[in-house]
Amino acid sequence: MEKYSCETHIDHALDMFVAETKEFPIMDKLKEEEKLSTKCSYCDAPATYIVSSK
Ligand SMILES: [Zn+2]
């Protein structure tokens, strides 16, 4: 599972990821070209981070 998050929602994204997957979340910054086409999972802002478990 992967979640995308803006600067505002990264704490929420990490909490939700742990709650849903019971796995330790790994947070990475998106590449510039990925930011342009990816929105935050929790609002309409462009995503800054990706949260995944590997
Ligand atoms: Zn957001």
Side-chain angles (χ1 to χ4, degrees):
M1 180 165 106
E2 293 174 340
K3 294 276 191 194
Y4 297 97
S5 176
C6 65
E7 299 273 357
T8 304
H9 289 110
I10 186 59
D11 288 341
H12 181 69
L14 292 171
D15 284 348
M16 292 302 293
F17 187 91
V18 172
E20 290 177 21
T21 68
K22 315 290 189 210
E23 292 180 36
F24 187 80
I26 307 291
M27 186 180 90
D28 272 316
K29 285 215 161 191
L30 286 176
K31 298 185 185 76
E32 285 301 322
E33 65 267 26
E34 291 173 323
K35 286 184 187 175
L36 298 174
S37 57
T38 308
K39 280 187 177 181
C40 175
S41 299
Y42 308 100
C43 71
D44 284 334
T48 303
Y49 301 101
I50 179 172
V51 181
S52 64
S53 59
K54 55 187 173 181

